């Protein structure tokens, strides 16, 4: 199967994985919640609609061209190199006529920059991680789940403090733009 896997770490030392399956035009994102349970978020590849500009800059010795898009509530800027003919990049970014060497969300919620590129003459096999008891969920459902778990943790802390005589009330206000992908309503 023709696929590319990207692995990256997130805050808290927990690993998330993205498996891009180009033959199927599918992306599987394995993410974990506050309790270490893994969830599978399925998405399509090629869903970002890019506007390619004229601006250029050099990254790691490769000439890159600027492209921009608005994707799920956020503006992104990508720098891709037509000199490297792979239509992929970090996270869910792909669909440009060259490898994306830098991807940035305008408010800094996401920023990837290539730090090194190695070319291999032979195919390099990457191990695909396996997860047990993975629950299938949408990106929106996962965002809601993580917020619900955070609220539960704060309610538990509030209850513990009240047992000790405190008259504290903890309110969790969920901003509209709390996650990388913004959905219409909460």
């Amino acid at each position: 199967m023709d696929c590319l896997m990207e692995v990256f770490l997130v805050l808290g030392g927990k690993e998330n994985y993205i498996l891009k399956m180009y033959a199927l035009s599918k992306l599987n994102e394995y993410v974990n919640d506050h309790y270490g349970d893994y969830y599978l978020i399925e998405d399509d590849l090629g869903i970002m609609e890019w506007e390619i500009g004229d601006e250029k800059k050099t990254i790691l010795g490769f000439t890159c061209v600027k492209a921009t898009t608005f994707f799920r509530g956020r503006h992104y800027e990508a720098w891709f190199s037509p000199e490297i003919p792979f239509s992929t990049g970090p996270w869910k970014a792909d669909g440009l006529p060259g490898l994306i060497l830098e991807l940035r969300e305008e408010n800094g919620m996401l920023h990837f920059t290539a730090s090194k590129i190695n070319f291999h003459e032979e195919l390099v096999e990457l191990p695909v991680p396996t997860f047990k008891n993975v629950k299938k969920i949408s990106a929106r459902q996962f965002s809601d789940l993580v917020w619900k778990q955070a609220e539960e943790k704060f309610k538990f802390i509030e209850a513990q403090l009240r047992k000790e005589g405190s008259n504290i009330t903890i309110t969790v206000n969920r901003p509209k733009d709390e996650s990388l992908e913004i959905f219409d309503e909460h």
Side-chain angles (χ1 to χ4, degrees):
M1 177 181 286
D2 178 27
C3 64
L4 171 71
M5 184 173 108
E6 300 175 352
V7 179
F8 60 95
L9 297 176
V10 295
L11 293 176
K14 296 183 179 181
E15 295 176 341
N16 289 347
Y17 297 88
I18 291 181
L19 178 63
K20 292 182 177 182
M21 298 168 287
Y22 286 93
L24 302 172
S25 294
K26 294 289 180 191
L27 177 144
N28 286 350
E29 184 175 9
Y30 295 89
V31 295
N32 56 25
D33 62 10
H34 291 293
Y35 301 111
D37 293 325
Y38 272 95
Y39 294 84
L40 167 61
I41 299 171
E42 294 179 326
D43 215 338
D44 294 318
L45 286 174
I47 52 179
M48 290 184 172
E49 296 179 15
W50 296 98
E51 189 172 311
I52 298 173
D54 296 324
E55 198 174 335
K56 293 184 172 143
K57 75 176 184 178
T58 302
I59 300 173
L60 298 175
F62 296 97
T63 300
C64 294
V65 179
K66 182 179 178 180
T68 57
T69 190
F70 184 77
F71 176 70
R72 294 185 180 157
R74 296 201 179 276
H75 292 276
Y76 294 90
E77 172 184 289
W79 292 89
F80 70 95
S81 177
E83 298 170 32
I84 308 173
F86 297 102
S87 182
T88 191
W91 188 54
K92 296 182 179 187
D94 66 359
L96 287 166
L99 183 65
I100 298 170
L101 298 182
E102 183 174 357
L103 177 67
R104 183 180 70 79
E105 187 274 331
E106 73 177 345
N107 296 315
M109 284 195 77
L110 176 137
H111 191 175
F112 291 99
T113 303
S115 58
K116 184 177 183 182
I117 296 177
N118 291 323
F119 292 100
H120 298 274
E121 294 295 321
E122 297 125 23
L123 180 65
V124 176
E125 297 268 339
L126 297 174
V128 177
T130 56
F131 303 99
K132 294 180 178 155
N133 303 320
V134 174
K135 300 166 189 101
K136 197 173 181 182
I137 195 168
S138 72
R140 170 60 196 262
Q141 290 169 323
F142 183 75
S143 178
D144 290 344
L145 173 74
V146 169
W147 272 97
K148 182 180 177 209
Q149 289 176 345
E151 289 170 352
E152 288 170 357
K153 280 185 174 184
F154 283 117
K155 289 294 175 197
F156 176 77
I157 292 168
E158 181 182 284
Q160 295 296 77
L161 291 171
R162 285 181 179 241
K163 279 183 187 176
E164 296 174 10
S166 175
N167 192 20
I168 190 167
T169 300
I170 300 174
T171 305
V172 178
N173 293 319
R174 181 177 177 180
K176 182 178 191 270
D177 62 350
E178 90 289 345
S179 65
L180 195 53
E181 296 177 78
I182 300 172
F183 301 96
D184 292 336
E185 312 173 2
H186 287 291

